[in-house]
Amino acid sequence: MKNFAFLMSILLYACTRPVQAQVTCNPAAPCVDDNVSIYFNANEGSKGLVGETGDVFMHTGVITSASASSSDWKHVTSVWGNSTDTTFKMWPLGGGIYAKRFNIRSFYSILQSEQVLKLAFVFRNGSGSKEGKTATNGDIFYDVTCAGTMVQTAVVQPNVPSLTSSVGSTIAFKGTANANATLTLKDNNTVLTTVSNAKTLEYAINVTTAGTHTIQFIANANAGGGDVIKTFTYSTVPASVVQDAPIGTQLGANINAAGNSVTLMLQAPNKNNVFVIGSFNNWQADVNQMYKTVDGKSWWITLPLTSGTVYTYQYLVDGSIKIADPLSTLILDQGADPSIPAVTYPNLPPYPTNKTTGYVSVLEPGKTPYTWRVPNFQRPPKQDLIIYELLVRDFVARHDYQTLIDSINYLKNLKINAIELMPINEFDNNESWGYNPNFHNAVDKYYGTADKLKEFIDVCHQNGIAVILDVVFNHTWGSSPLSKLYWDAENNRPSADNPWLNPVATHPYSVGFDFNHESEYTRNYMFRCLKNWLTEFKIDGYRFDLSKGFTQVNSGNDVTAWGRYDLSRVNILSRIYDSTQVYSAGSYVILEHFADNDEDKDLANRGMMLWGNMAGAYKQFTMGWENNRLKGVSAQGRGWNVANLVGYMESHDEQRNMFENMTYGNSTKSPTYNVKSLGTALSRVELANAFLYTIPGPKMLWQFGELGYDVDINYNSRVGNKPIRWEYLADPARKRLYNVTRNIIHLRTSNAPIFREGTYNASDLDIEYFKHFHVSHANMNLTVLGNSDVTATDITPYFQNTGNWYNYLTGETLNVASTTTPIRLLPGEYRIYTSVKLPEPPAGYLRYTNADAKIVELLNDFQVYPNPSAAHHSAYLGYSLKQSADIQWFVLNNVGQVVYQSAVEHKMAGSHQEKLVHSLAAGTYLIRLSINGATVTQKWVVQ
């Protein structure tokens, strides 16, 4: 899924517990020689860094016994406004949480003779223009006690100031000290237990009497005498009524058809009590207690509603854990929502400020349902899919569904028949790749409303395009209610009794908190989400991120063992696939799996598709190096029985092909052919496209690959925002790549039975440099030739038959008397021949007329635009040169007379544009471009 460096950065996030206070520390009671992790919550205190998208730094020092006041910081080495010193840079963990790990003594250079009392902080952005301070805009302090002088304590469990329980239940308690001490636990001043010379006290508090109880955790071992006391309270509530929910109640919110009531249902086994708090009861914590089901696994309640009223709510579990509904379809986030513009999400319900904290669920009873224009979309067969993978954030500047809708013609014209959206369910923060999910069932508001997403899907269906969602069920994040409900605060991970999540992942490269897919609770949660997207949003299928992690077979850190055939994992994925077919027959399931081939093949046989990453080989192919064996992009090349491999040369996870060409392309073998030059690099992508989309089986391309996107994947960090390059369309060389890509995909999608039913030999794709590939079908044969070397060569075509063959992109006819007569190909040149003359491809300007053979060596692209153009208005001639050359251009009328000619000019390699200001009468003309004496002609229509 990610490269190693990226995984490690995300693992830092995965090790982070939900942070409620402004600054917390692990260990909670540190000494001066401790290694500590400091967590800063930008959503608390002054909130000056809420929504910050850049780096966050800590300005820090210490308060010692020599400090004259709290403003007298010692050992301050950070420089305000310095954004290059990474010593003080915090790790962003998502949701406004940042972390830093260090050893106190060495980080601040504390002398052995010094007594440190507090750590002092102010947090800032890179320039220092934004600050994170206390709610009163003061400095932030955290107590430090030097070993041997004072004991400090912490209540690890329950780590809340108050909670509720019921008579007859127990409360698990754990307290710790940083040095040996006499530890005592009291309930309303009655001693429950005492241990001597200990650092830890654990005890099960039996709730035997009603009322409010104050629990004191006391440590006595201080040099100067006196106790250190930490307290919390618990109150008793009535025992929960045991009663099953109405038949047919699903997990989450069940709003009745009239919109006048809702039945809420939450799975939370082994909890004592659950209340619903929200706008319908003024956020009171002592009403709306939920029923417990007979099996003890779930909680439910039916509440009256008023249709047309927007409601907000949370669950209060055992009086201390406050969560949004895990199956919310819309949540409010006090920290992230203010940065969502109204144009993206109009009329976003307001957050209930001063009523509660944390994520809040939203109910909208009586909301008018979306009216589908295409209620029963006919999905393309799996083997015919040409999938366009895109990240909304980096595809359109306004990062919303409306702009995607407005861009549908661009995608439709590319002739793709499916769009795969990177995760759009609610994830931590706003700007993200989306692989840090916390609410799998909710639409992330940063991209727009649920109805706009439905409209986008509907518009795609109107244009024959399927929509596939990238979903992340390998893991969830610490901000998820599934994490918070059962949390091991001491070890900073899900607790051992968490019904959904493993405390420790069972496989390498795990991110976030790992789902236990053998658990019935995970299945219930996941299937509820899958059903919602398939039925409510009418999506056409899923791409499952990191599907190889869907196992309880523990491979530890052994990557090889993790990839071996795992029948339990196959059965888990088969259950998931079968459920999707029940909810929506014929929907797609695509796995990012990369296990051993025998397991991948088994899953393909069961109906699932699998990602086929061939980025490495295709990069070698386009860069002009060896090791460009492409057989693995084909299911047949992997020995599979069915063509369920989604082959690709680029995805969101891979370094961009054009970046590799421009950085590492072969520039040494030929003095006149340099892959690193822009025009040549783009033409090499054309070559790769010819040997990707013509190979049977589903295929995928990454956004803007059709325009030669060449921005480093690590620009602004791997997952950070990337420049959106719609201006590429104005570059003739890049526009040519778009049109070539479009034409080749059109060949594939408009002749789908040929590629679905035809025969071929994938081994042909493993020939180094000089490739020939054939698809044979009763209705048409196809031969693709290509030279990936950087010098010219003769290639034996091995045509399937003699007679006329037709160059699909140029329309030229080749009479084949012998199927083995060599054809000379220039470096990077390719040809796509069909045995049947096909209609002119959509981007007809590629059909050069009267073109000299030498043109291929010199020219990447040549076009007139707009074409047709209006009489007495401006038009343009655009062309892109592979190398510097002498240029002259002519305008000829329909009988061949020159009506205008330019002067000869020497032009450098790259893209050029000439303005055609004309006063020509309406009619048909020719534009002839002369390059070092070689010519190419383009038809120009003036209306």
Side-chain angles (χ1 to χ4, degrees):
M1 184 184 78
K2 318 283 177 271
N3 69 16
F4 184 73
F6 172 64
L7 283 164
M8 293 307 295
S9 69
I10 293 298
L11 281 170
L12 286 171
Y13 193 139
C15 294
T16 304
R17 63 183 173 189
V19 178
Q20 302 298 325
Q22 189 176 10
V23 169
T24 56
C25 180
N26 186 14
C31 286
V32 70
D33 289 305
D34 284 346
N35 295 319
V36 297
S37 293
I38 296 294
Y39 300 96
F40 165 59
N41 187 346
N43 304 303
E44 303 294 333
S46 66
K47 302 181 181 180
L49 291 168
V50 169
E52 175 60 34
T53 58
D55 293 331
V56 168
F57 297 81
M58 63 179 185
H59 184 64
T60 185
V62 293
I63 303 299
T64 72
S65 55
S67 296
S69 67
S70 61
S71 61
D72 185 13
W73 293 17
K74 306 295 184 182
H75 297 285
V76 178
T77 58
S78 52
V79 177
W80 192 266
N82 186 334
S83 60
T84 61
D85 188 351
T86 58
T87 305
F88 303 95
K89 180 180 173 180
M90 307 289 288
W91 281 104
L93 306 181
I97 311 300
Y98 299 84
K100 186 72 178 178
R101 184 165 178 79
F102 54 86
N103 177 273
I104 294 177
R105 185 178 296 281
S106 61
F107 189 79
Y108 295 100
S109 300
I110 305 298
L111 301 177
Q112 291 293 332
S113 59
E114 293 181 286
Q115 183 181 6
V116 177
L117 303 178
K118 299 176 185 291
L119 304 182
F121 301 100
V122 172
F123 299 90
R124 62 172 174 85
N125 63 355
S127 66
S129 60
K130 298 179 182 179
E131 297 179 342
K133 305 181 79 171
T134 68
T136 57
N137 209 37
D139 299 342
I140 303 169
F141 299 100
Y142 199 94
D143 290 340
V144 176
T145 302
C146 294
T149 62
M150 181 179 285
V151 172
Q152 288 211 352
T153 62
V155 175
V156 176
Q157 186 180 5
N159 189 23
V160 290
S162 63
L163 71 159
T164 61
S165 190
S166 55
V167 174
S169 62
T170 60
I171 299 171
F173 174 85
K174 183 175 183 178
T176 61
N178 64 341
N180 286 335
T182 299
L183 305 177
T184 302
L185 193 67
K186 291 184 178 181
D187 183 342
N188 284 348
N189 290 320
T190 299
V191 174
L192 299 177
T193 187
T194 298
V195 293
S196 300
N197 197 31
K199 291 184 179 180
T200 302
L201 187 155
E202 295 187 63
Y203 189 78
I205 302 171
N206 294 313
V207 181
T208 58
T209 58
T212 298
H213 296 246
T214 299
I215 302 296
Q216 294 176 301
F217 175 50
I218 306 167
N220 189 322
N222 296 322
D227 294 336
V228 176
I229 303 174
K230 295 291 172 65
T231 64
F232 71 91
T233 63
Y234 75 86
S235 302
T236 55
V237 298
S240 301
V241 175
V242 177
Q243 181 178 322
D244 277 337
I247 295 174
T249 302
Q250 299 184 84
L251 295 174
N254 302 260
I255 301 175
N256 72 350
N260 57 22
S261 73
V262 62
T263 298
L264 302 173
M265 192 172 191
L266 169 72
Q267 285 207 305
N270 303 316
K271 296 297 184 182
N272 295 315
N273 56 79
V274 182
F275 286 80
V276 178
I277 58 175
S279 55
F280 29 64
N281 61 14
N282 199 28
W283 299 90
Q284 297 178 64
D286 57 351
V287 295
N288 293 336
Q289 184 173 3
M290 300 181 78
Y291 298 100
K292 181 190 289 188
T293 56
V294 174
D295 61 12
K297 298 177 180 179
S298 303
W299 304 82
W300 68 276
I301 191 172
T302 298
L303 299 172
L305 304 175
T306 299
S307 181
T309 300
V310 177
Y311 295 88
T312 51
Y313 72 100
Q314 293 172 317
Y315 296 120
L316 180 63
V317 182
D318 286 353
S320 61
I321 306 171
K322 198 159 41 174
I323 60 167
D325 192 323
L327 286 160
S328 300
T329 55
L330 175 62
I331 66 104
L332 302 181
D333 178 353
Q334 188 175 23
D337 288 357
S339 61
I340 298 174
V343 68
T344 298
Y345 202 110
N347 303 314
L348 179 63
Y351 187 90
T353 305
N354 299 323
K355 298 287 187 180
T356 190
T357 58
Y359 293 116
V360 169
S361 299
V362 178
L363 293 177
E364 299 177 280
K367 182 180 178 181
T368 303
Y370 179 81
T371 302
W372 292 91
R373 298 179 183 179
V374 184
N376 297 298
F377 176 61
Q378 297 301 306
R379 298 169 178 136
K382 297 175 186 176
Q383 290 81 2
D384 298 350
L385 287 175
I386 305 295
I387 303 167
Y388 192 91
E389 185 191 17
L390 69 83
L391 171 62
V392 180
R393 183 197 72 185
D394 291 348
F395 188 66
V396 287
R398 216 172 70 178
H399 58 74
D400 61 17
Y401 299 121
Q402 181 59 58
T403 314
L404 278 186
I405 293 169
D406 297 339
S407 306
I408 196 66
N409 282 339
Y410 174 86
L411 297 166
K412 180 183 179 182
N413 289 339
L414 193 56
K415 303 303 179 181
I416 54 97
N417 56 19
I419 293 172
E420 182 179 300
L421 295 175
M422 285 175 67
I424 51 85
N425 60 273
E426 190 69 42
F427 46 78
D428 248 11
N429 219 330
N430 284 332
E431 295 187 358
S432 170
W433 270 10
Y435 295 105
N436 49 335
N438 47 23
F439 292 86
H440 292 80
N441 206 42
V443 176
D444 195 289
K445 304 179 296 299
Y446 191 65
Y447 298 149
T449 67
D451 277 356
K452 270 300 171 187
L453 174 57
K454 291 176 182 178
E455 183 182 348
F456 168 70
I457 295 168
D458 208 8
V459 169
C460 286
H461 288 171
Q462 291 174 61
N463 287 279
I465 299 172
V467 179
I468 299 165
L469 291 191
D470 192 343
V471 289
V472 187
F473 284 102
N474 173 75
H475 55 270
T476 190
W477 238 234
S479 56
S480 165
L482 306 184
S483 300
K484 292 182 175 182
L485 270 173
Y486 301 84
W487 186 255
D488 179 351
E490 182 177 14
N491 292 300
N492 205 22
R493 66 191 187 192
S495 58
D497 62 343
N498 191 301
W500 303 277
L501 305 173
N502 293 311
V504 178
T506 62
H507 58 88
Y509 297 150
S510 181
V511 296
F513 298 115
D514 185 50
F515 272 108
N516 173 3
H517 282 277
E518 296 286 8
S519 165
E520 65 171 293
Y521 297 95
T522 297
R523 290 198 296 272
N524 292 341
Y525 173 77
M526 183 179 184
F527 290 1
R528 180 80 165 89
C529 296
L530 296 178
K531 180 180 180 181
N532 178 58
W533 293 108
L534 285 167
T535 57
E536 180 67 20
F537 288 83
K538 297 190 183 297
I539 67 148
D540 299 294
Y542 297 101
R543 179 263 189 190
F544 286 94
D545 181 71
L546 201 59
S547 58
K548 192 165 61 177
F550 293 19
T551 179
Q552 285 301 104
V553 175
N554 198 329
S555 53
N557 294 316
D558 189 335
V559 177
T560 301
W562 181 36
R564 293 191 188 113
Y565 185 93
D566 180 347
L567 180 60
S568 67
R569 178 168 57 206
V570 170
N571 289 335
I572 287 169
L573 291 166
S574 296
R575 282 197 300 268
I576 293 170
Y577 174 74
D578 291 343
S579 73
T580 63
Q581 301 313 295
V582 170
Y583 303 143
S584 183
S587 56
Y588 314 122
V589 167
I590 303 172
L591 307 177
E592 185 203 30
H593 208 61
F594 308 137
D596 284 358
N597 192 57
D598 53 351
E599 182 171 328
D600 289 354
K601 180 178 178 180
D602 190 359
L603 293 165
N605 287 340
R606 294 172 186 238
M608 288 162 266
M609 291 182 282
L610 296 96
W611 262 22
N613 182 3
M614 291 295 293
Y618 275 94
K619 286 170 187 172
Q620 297 299 316
F621 187 58
T622 62
M623 288 188 294
W625 303 111
E626 295 179 336
N627 302 317
N628 57 33
R629 301 179 183 275
L630 307 181
K631 181 173 71 172
V633 80
S634 157
Q636 184 198 93
R638 301 188 182 205
W640 295 11
N641 303 321
V642 292
N644 277 351
L645 182 78
V646 182
Y648 61 87
M649 63 180 178
E650 276 188 320
S651 76
H652 69 270
D653 261 338
E654 307 302 329
Q655 181 59 275
R656 310 306 171 217
N657 194 289
M658 271 294 291
F659 177 84
E660 298 275 2
N661 288 350
M662 301 288 288
T663 308
Y664 307 110
N666 192 335
S667 60
T668 61
K669 192 173 180 180
S670 171
T672 60
Y673 189 84
N674 181 2
V675 174
K676 292 181 180 179
S677 68
L678 177 62
T680 303
L682 290 166
S683 70
R684 303 288 298 193
V685 179
E686 290 184 27
L687 168 68
N689 287 341
F691 283 89
L692 178 66
Y693 303 114
T694 60
I695 298 169
K699 297 293 180 288
M700 184 181 77
L701 69 156
W702 168 242
Q703 66 182 27
F704 295 131
E706 71 282 2
L707 290 171
Y709 192 81
D710 53 11
V711 178
D712 184 356
I713 192 174
N714 295 309
Y715 173 91
N716 189 28
S717 84
R718 185 178 179 86
V719 300
N721 298 54
K722 301 296 187 289
I724 300 172
R725 299 297 201 202
W726 285 104
E727 68 271 20
Y728 281 172
L729 282 169
D731 184 328
R734 294 184 185 275
K735 182 63 182 293
R736 172 184 165 85
L737 176 59
Y738 172 89
N739 281 287
V740 169
T741 307
R742 173 190 184 189
N743 285 348
I744 298 175
I745 293 175
H746 177 70
L747 170 66
R748 172 63 184 275
T749 55
S750 61
N751 297 277
I754 303 295
F755 296 92
R756 193 186 322 131
E757 302 162 5
T759 60
Y760 66 99
N761 184 0
S763 296
D764 291 343
L765 297 168
D766 270 4
I767 302 169
E768 293 284 13
Y769 288 127
F770 318 126
K771 297 191 187 299
H772 54 80
F773 178 74
H774 311 85
V775 177
S776 301
H777 189 274
N779 296 334
M780 186 180 77
N781 291 328
L782 177 87
T783 291
V784 184
L785 307 176
N787 175 17
S788 69
D789 204 352
V790 295
T791 58
T793 190
D794 293 329
I795 292 180
T796 303
Y798 298 106
F799 286 109
Q800 295 98 309
N801 55 268
T802 58
N804 285 340
W805 284 78
Y806 306 93
N807 188 321
Y808 169 68
L809 293 176
T810 67
E812 296 170 330
T813 302
L814 176 67
N815 185 266
V816 175
S818 170
T819 61
T820 58
T821 299
I823 294 177
R824 187 162 187 79
L825 294 184
L826 297 170
E829 187 181 0
Y830 62 94
R831 304 202 187 158
I832 301 173
Y833 286 108
T834 61
S835 62
V836 174
K837 189 171 182 62
L838 298 175
E840 182 175 346
Y845 80 86
L846 289 172
R847 182 170 295 211
Y848 296 155
T849 58
N850 303 321
D852 292 350
K854 192 176 180 182
I855 284 292
V856 179
E857 300 179 25
L858 302 170
L859 185 66
N860 271 320
D861 183 52
F862 166 47
Q863 61 176 305
V864 178
Y865 53 92
N867 190 5
S869 57
H872 310 296
H873 285 75
S874 296
Y876 297 88
L877 163 65
Y879 55 94
S880 176
L881 300 176
K882 294 181 180 179
Q883 53 188 275
S884 60
D886 292 329
I887 302 297
Q888 187 177 24
W889 52 274
F890 308 81
V891 180
L892 296 83
N893 62 21
N894 61 357
V895 295
Q897 296 173 323
V898 176
V899 297
Y900 178 84
Q901 70 182 62
S902 72
V904 177
E905 293 185 76
H906 188 74
K907 300 283 189 177
M908 302 303 293
S911 298
H912 301 276
Q913 178 179 276
E914 313 288 352
K915 189 173 184 180
L916 305 176
V917 180
H918 62 85
S919 56
L920 299 176
T924 300
Y925 298 84
L926 297 176
I927 299 293
R928 179 164 295 159
L929 184 65
S930 172
I931 309 175
N932 287 352
T935 60
V936 61
T937 304
Q938 172 75 58
K939 184 172 69 175
W940 177 27
V941 177
V942 177
Q943 295 178 336

